[in-house]
Amino acid sequence: MKSLFKTFLLVALTASTFTWLQSCKPKGAQSAVSGDAASKVYVAPGKYDEFYNFVSGGFSGQMSVYGIPSGRLFRVIPVFSVDPEKGYGYSEETKAMLNTSHGFVPWDDLHHIALSETDGIQDGRWVFGNGNNTPRIARIDLKTFRTAEIIEIPNSAGNHSSPFITENSEYVVAGTRFSIPMDNSNGDVPINTYKQNFHGTVSFIGVDKTSGNMNIAFQILLPGVNFDLARAGKGKSHGWMFFSCYNSERANTLLEVNSTQKDKDFILCVNWKKAEEYAKAGKGKLQSVKYAHNIYDEQKQMASSAIENQVMMLDPKDCPDMVYFMPCPKSPHGCDTDPTGEYIVGSGKLAAVIPVFSFTKIQAAIAAKNYEGDYEGIPVLKYDAVLHGEVKKPGLGPLHTEFDDNGFAYTSFFVSSEVVKWNVKSLEVVDRVPTYYSVGHLSVPGGPTRKPWGKYLIAYNKITKDRYLPTGPELAQSAQLYDISGDKMKLILDFPTIGEPHYAEAIPASLIMKNSQKIYKIEENKNPYAALGDKFARVERKGNEIHVYMTAIRSHFTPDNIEGVKMGDMVYFHVTNLEQDWDVPHGFAVKGANNAELLIMPGETQTLAWKPEKPGVYPIYCTDFCSALHQEMQGYIRVSAAGSNVPISFSTGKTAPAVTTTTDKK
Amino acid sequence: MKKILNILPAVLVLVFVACNSNTEPAKTETPEATATAGQEAVKDDVSQKDVVKIAVGSKDHTTLVAALTQADYVKVLANAGPFTVFAPTNDAFNKLPAGTVEGLMKDDKKADLRNILEYHVAVGVYKTENMQDGQKINMVNLDDITLSIKDGKVMVNGSANVIATIPASNGIIYVVDAVLLPPAKKQ
């Protein structure tokens, strides 16, 4: 029986039992191949995946890119944390990306993804991510898969409710998880004066249609609740944004008890078109704040960071008909709008119902002023007046809902560790599957948009201890892929993720791969430190700074012998990769560098700062395997004592024995 | 469904019965996902015990464990939680009218059994030092319990005494000497 059981498990792993039951004929391995999970996720060598999956890296601060259905990891995009693999945050060109009003922040926490949209459909131009700890939003350019811009959010702490996007990418939003004293007030107040002194805000960050550049269009001053997640209206509800919030008790300690006292918290409905009008009409107040705005200039190949000083704050007191609260049971987390824009799904973490609100009813209730009262001066709509209906006892701990292209919703349940599929209109539960274990976010390709592509559902889980090989106290977290093309969800793959996966979006590969940049054209390289050809390679002294304008091409550096560096000098290696060939980066490392290495894309210039710690000869070499003579791609730097009279000299390929009195002239 | 693991051997039997007798068996859950016995079966004698492991290890809670198994509630309580679980002892179950437990353990009463068990579970950790006399806690089945506190002793719904407190890795267990019965359903 035991071996039979094992055999069964083996087959069960790869075969649908139903198919097997029907046939019953083949005994053994052959039966494992028909209609099975393995073939559904098998992307043969030489083939591309059908979807990109952009997955938040959670506490790693990064974003990762997987192929679906294979689950293969293609790239980790450094966003809010330094990344030695790519030199991000180490090279002189990229350090400014991690600048904030608090200075250089090398590690943050990225939770949510928002792909840009046009007419409510994913357009594959940019992907946004939130910096949760030191509040920021990043924009990644999907031509280069690089972080192109990061904007800090003032009057915020814990930028969790972010960066959810409107259907024409007019705005990405940022709601505060922590309420705090506003930046322009005296923040040195007793914590137990929370109710008087602490406020929440939601920010609308405009996205330029062409460049993608972000600006904080306006913020809205709100009561001191915790904003959690958000989703834009779409179609008929375009122009509205919905934010879930908890802690309407406004507790400032032991929130696990004190913020769960009330039966209902809220979803905040923001009429952002109205807010836009108020902002234009000057109804807002300009507040003095400080926030960093960092942009990576593709031409100069260099990030710059500017500190901005003002933000427009809209106060609902001065701006009627702009914001409303909707009661939502028990500490709502997810707040998701269906593809039609009619239904808004609230998920109370501690609730055993899923309320589904109707946009039409919300509008009617607002028109009729059908309020149950107000919360800190903001009208609270009557629950029954705005409710489409409740999904009853669907599971324990509903968190997040995604949608397919057939009118179904998929909700994750953390506590009962399952995904439940239900009909958005009839609210009837039609299927449920377990996840392994403790599922958080879900992703259906196009799931948050007006046009879900459907086909797959990916669940992002925390616990894997019975399925992944142990790796010490921490195990890899996982994504699980379900085939949702039929009536029943079917688990077909399990793959590990980096950091901790929170929200993710998937998009057809065809929308992105055609735009993917192959090289940086050398003639467009405007980096002021570039050496656009071997003949421009040189070494210059500027006081205590040595600037090495170096080129790299298969398989040598120019120059590769450098002398004249003295103790006390700061040496800048500006390395230009002269290759004009896709996927031929060069690396650069110098022995003893306390900073890092470089990785330089074709046509690009990157700079490493190095302060030698003692006289001697230091090797340099290429760290990215570039050709059969990669191992020959190396050189030496001579460092002399501070008072030495060794002149600056540099060369490549100069084989004559050195005579100490001769120097190379520039 | 959550019962996949439990029914795995049953499915096996079905499969072979089906092949032998050449009849079409009832459609069963696809067990392809469950190649292992689940996180609750992972051997780990080092970590603090979760709610399930504590209950399973207690000789005073065999009825509760049997009920949790029957109601497919074991897996849920092995998850991250956090949970506050009021755990009636075997004696507490024995205090119910004769036949009650046996009746609830029947397959067609699974929903009722689950409702009762869910009335013993809250999501969140409610510690005694933060409990207040008269405090209501909304339980997983959506009904409230009411706490009363007298001389530092906690009583639930005026009938069940908390006789022990056991911290678990994924929450806290209060051993109670009576089964909590949800209020009658209001229609």
Side-chain angles (χ1 to χ4, degrees):
Chain A
M1 188 64 186
K2 202 178 167 195
S3 68
L4 279 180
F5 186 70
K6 272 187 181 163
T7 311
F8 176 79
L9 284 180
L10 200 67
V11 172
L13 251 178
T14 45
S16 141
T17 311
F18 190 58
T19 316
W20 193 46
L21 286 176
Q22 279 183 324
S23 65
C24 265
K25 275 171 282 170
K27 294 212 161 86
Q30 278 167 312
S31 61
V33 207
S34 60
D36 63 340
S39 74
K40 284 183 177 159
V41 301
Y42 182 66
V43 177
K47 300 285 183 197
Y48 287 125
D49 275 283
E50 186 179 353
F51 294 96
Y52 283 98
N53 190 198
F54 292 89
V55 184
S56 58
F59 47 69
S60 82
Q62 318 294 45
M63 194 184 289
S64 53
V65 185
Y66 293 84
I68 298 294
S70 73
R72 293 180 294 186
L73 173 64
F74 294 135
R75 190 164 182 82
V76 175
I77 305 171
V79 184
F80 292 115
S81 298
V82 296
D83 181 6
E85 182 187 333
K86 298 166 190 82
Y88 181 80
Y90 293 102
S91 71
E92 297 305 302
E93 282 78 1
T94 56
K95 276 179 180 170
M97 291 306 285
L98 296 177
N99 191 38
T100 73
S101 64
H102 306 271
F104 183 80
V105 175
W107 182 8
D108 207 296
D109 181 21
L110 192 160
H111 281 225
H112 309 123
I113 304 282
L115 281 164
S116 57
E117 296 177 22
T118 302
D119 297 329
I121 301 170
Q122 293 168 332
D123 60 22
R125 300 170 77 195
W126 307 300
V127 58
F128 297 83
N130 67 323
N132 202 37
N133 176 29
T134 302
R136 284 168 289 170
I137 292 181
R139 178 175 57 86
I140 288 108
D141 190 328
L142 291 179
K143 287 200 305 287
T144 56
F145 283 61
R146 275 189 167 180
T147 303
E149 185 179 10
I150 292 180
I151 193 164
E152 191 178 355
I153 313 295
N155 292 320
S156 175
N159 180 36
H160 193 266
S161 189
S162 182
F164 304 95
I165 196 163
T166 59
E167 72 174 29
N168 280 305
S169 305
E170 294 97 336
Y171 296 103
V172 286
V173 298
T176 46
R177 175 253 185 96
F178 295 94
S179 282
I180 44 162
M182 292 293 92
D183 289 0
N184 67 347
S185 68
N186 171 23
D188 181 9
V189 294
I191 297 169
N192 65 10
T193 61
Y194 186 101
K195 284 180 179 150
Q196 299 94 279
N197 290 323
F198 289 45
H199 294 277
T201 60
V202 297
S203 308
F204 283 72
I205 292 95
V207 178
D208 185 86
K209 273 184 170 49
T210 315
S211 65
N213 283 346
M214 297 183 281
N215 72 292
I216 301 178
F218 52 87
Q219 298 189 304
I220 301 175
L221 185 68
L222 292 161
V225 296
N226 293 35
F227 289 96
D228 205 0
L229 289 157
R231 201 59 100 179
K234 53 193 95 157
K236 63 167 75 166
S237 54
H238 181 55
W240 288 75
M241 181 68 78
F242 306 94
F243 295 88
S244 61
C245 55
Y246 61 103
N247 193 20
S248 54
E249 296 84 352
R250 289 188 290 155
N252 57 278
T253 181
L254 197 64
L255 265 63
E256 74 170 313
V257 173
N258 296 328
S259 78
T260 56
Q261 301 297 309
K262 292 189 179 174
D263 285 341
K264 292 196 174 68
D265 290 287
F266 298 119
I267 287 175
L268 177 77
C269 310
V270 177
N271 182 341
W272 60 256
K273 291 228 162 138
K274 195 96 182 173
E276 242 176 13
E277 289 168 20
Y278 285 132
K280 263 193 204 124
K283 295 276 184 191
K285 291 194 176 77
L286 287 177
Q287 279 196 358
S288 151
V289 291
K290 238 178 102 177
Y291 62 98
H293 188 183
N294 313 330
I295 293 180
Y296 191 82
D297 182 321
E298 283 237 335
Q299 256 77 48
K300 286 189 184 157
Q301 304 181 344
M302 195 172 293
S304 60
S305 178
I307 296 291
E308 306 205 15
N309 299 304
Q310 251 184 359
V311 75
M312 177 176 285
M313 184 70 80
L314 298 174
D315 188 333
K317 285 191 191 77
D318 310 323
C319 305
D321 309 322
M322 178 174 70
V323 291
Y324 303 88
F325 280 120
M326 275 193 310
C328 185
K330 292 263 152 199
S331 306
H333 191 56
C335 170
D336 298 290
T337 51
D338 86 314
T340 66
E342 168 64 11
Y343 301 110
I344 299 106
V345 179
S347 296
K349 294 192 283 285
L350 305 180
V353 297
I354 304 174
V356 180
F357 301 96
S358 152
F359 182 72
T360 309
K361 287 187 174 179
I362 292 169
Q363 294 308 301
I366 289 170
K369 297 201 184 310
N370 202 350
Y371 307 144
E372 64 171 48
D374 74 283
Y375 180 83
E376 298 297 301
I378 294 170
V380 178
L381 300 166
K382 270 199 188 128
Y383 181 68
D384 292 332
V386 294
L387 189 71
H388 164 60
E390 289 173 341
V391 185
K392 300 278 188 193
K393 289 181 88 172
L396 266 193
L399 289 187
H400 304 284
T401 301
E402 288 269 293
F403 303 90
D404 70 10
D405 45 340
N406 295 311
F408 291 102
Y410 301 80
T411 302
S412 61
F413 291 82
F414 177 80
V415 178
S416 53
S417 193
E418 60 189 335
V419 179
V420 173
K421 175 182 178 180
W422 51 279
N423 183 300
V424 178
K425 269 201 186 125
S426 72
L427 307 173
E428 179 197 359
V429 172
V430 296
D431 191 25
R432 57 177 69 227
V433 287
T435 65
Y436 305 90
Y437 297 90
S438 302
V439 60
H441 284 269
L442 300 174
S443 171
V444 170
T449 71
R450 275 169 68 178
K451 188 179 167 59
W453 313 96
K455 197 162 179 178
Y456 298 110
L457 169 82
I458 309 144
Y460 301 91
N461 304 301
K462 271 207 75 75
I463 309 285
T464 58
K465 59 188 167 193
D466 64 328
R467 48 198 51 234
Y468 285 170
L469 292 172
T471 52
E474 194 195 14
L475 280 78
Q477 306 191 29
S478 81
Q480 289 188 305
L481 182 69
Y482 295 84
D483 175 358
I484 57 166
S485 57
D487 289 341
K488 297 280 176 190
M489 297 175 273
K490 289 181 72 178
L491 178 58
I492 52 176
L493 184 69
D494 210 334
F495 60 93
T497 58
I498 64 143
E500 178 175 54
H502 293 258
Y503 190 50
E505 277 198 54
I507 177 173
S510 57
L511 291 176
I512 290 184
M513 57 188 292
K514 61 177 189 283
N515 301 325
S516 194
Q517 186 160 330
K518 296 183 173 62
I519 58 167
Y520 294 95
K521 287 185 183 152
I522 197 84
E523 61 272 20
E524 290 171 10
N525 180 336
K526 302 287 182 243
N527 188 313
Y529 299 101
L532 302 177
D534 286 347
K535 62 176 185 273
F536 303 109
R538 64 200 187 276
V539 178
E540 289 174 355
R541 173 179 285 283
K542 285 181 187 159
N544 280 338
E545 291 180 1
I546 302 281
H547 290 268
V548 179
Y549 299 84
M550 183 180 273
T551 60
I553 194 161
R554 282 168 282 184
S555 295
H556 61 273
F557 293 110
T558 308
D560 68 2
N561 279 214
I562 297 168
E563 300 193 359
V565 175
K566 294 177 197 169
M567 285 305 297
D569 286 344
M570 178 61 97
V571 183
Y572 293 94
F573 296 99
H574 310 288
V575 186
T576 300
N577 179 351
L578 296 178
E579 306 279 356
Q580 292 288 276
D581 190 3
W582 192 16
D583 201 20
V584 187
H586 286 293
F588 177 83
V590 56
K591 183 182 172 185
N594 294 122
N595 186 3
E597 302 168 9
L598 295 175
L599 191 67
I600 315 124
M601 295 304 122
E604 189 185 39
T605 304
Q606 292 279 290
T607 300
L608 181 72
W610 175 58
K611 203 169 172 82
E613 84 281 15
K614 61 178 182 190
V617 170
Y618 292 83
I620 58 169
Y621 73 102
C622 172
T623 54
D624 189 322
F625 206 104
C626 54
S627 78
L629 293 171
H630 162 72
Q631 203 69 348
E632 282 69 19
M633 193 162 173
Q634 64 171 54
Y636 294 102
I637 317 287
R638 175 181 171 192
V639 176
S640 306
S644 145
N645 58 3
V646 178
I648 291 282
S649 71
F650 55 90
S651 62
T652 297
K654 200 173 165 65
T655 51
V659 182
T660 47
T661 50
T662 62
T663 57
D664 287 291
K665 290 272 154 22
K666 273 184 224 172
Chain B
M1 300 270 182
K2 288 178 227 90
K3 62 181 178 189
I4 285 171
L5 280 180
N6 302 336
I7 65 164
L8 209 61
V11 172
L12 240 189
V13 171
L14 255 182
V15 166
F16 289 103
V17 168
C19 285
N20 292 341
S21 64
N22 228 358
T23 55
E24 183 94 346
K27 192 175 176 190
T28 55
E29 291 297 323
T30 312
E32 61 194 8
T34 49
T36 76
Q39 60 175 343
E40 64 277 17
V42 172
K43 188 170 164 49
D44 180 357
D45 301 325
V46 180
S47 298
Q48 189 185 4
K49 288 184 165 48
D50 63 25
V51 166
V52 171
K53 286 198 169 107
I54 288 171
V56 167
S58 160
K59 63 178 179 6
D60 295 328
H61 288 92
T62 51
T63 309
L64 177 64
V65 169
L68 290 171
T69 308
Q70 168 66 12
D72 300 326
Y73 219 62
V74 172
K75 276 196 173 312
V76 170
L77 294 180
N79 284 330
F83 302 105
T84 297
V85 177
F86 293 91
T89 58
N90 292 345
D91 286 347
F93 280 101
N94 290 338
K95 281 199 286 187
L96 294 171
T100 308
V101 174
E102 291 74 11
L104 285 167
M105 293 294 277
K106 291 189 173 132
D107 282 352
D108 62 338
K109 293 289 178 202
K110 206 175 253 189
D112 294 345
L113 178 63
R114 186 144 175 165
N115 186 49
I116 291 172
L117 292 173
E118 286 184 340
Y119 190 53
H120 289 76
V121 179
V123 178
V125 172
Y126 293 86
K127 292 194 174 154
T128 43
E129 59 260 39
N130 297 317
M131 288 178 175
Q132 283 153 18
D133 192 42
Q135 183 181 348
K136 286 184 189 313
I137 298 177
N138 193 249
M139 307 305 279
V140 163
N141 81 327
L142 297 184
D143 290 319
D144 287 345
I145 58 166
T146 306
L147 304 174
S148 46
I149 298 174
K150 210 172 185 184
D151 303 329
K153 291 192 171 151
V154 180
M155 190 186 251
V156 185
N157 289 350
S159 61
N161 294 294
V162 171
I163 53 177
T165 303
I166 310 170
S169 65
N170 62 345
I172 194 160
I173 298 177
Y174 293 110
V175 178
V176 285
D177 63 359
V179 177
L180 309 177
L181 296 173
K185 281 223 173 71
K186 42 209 168 210
Q187 286 301 332

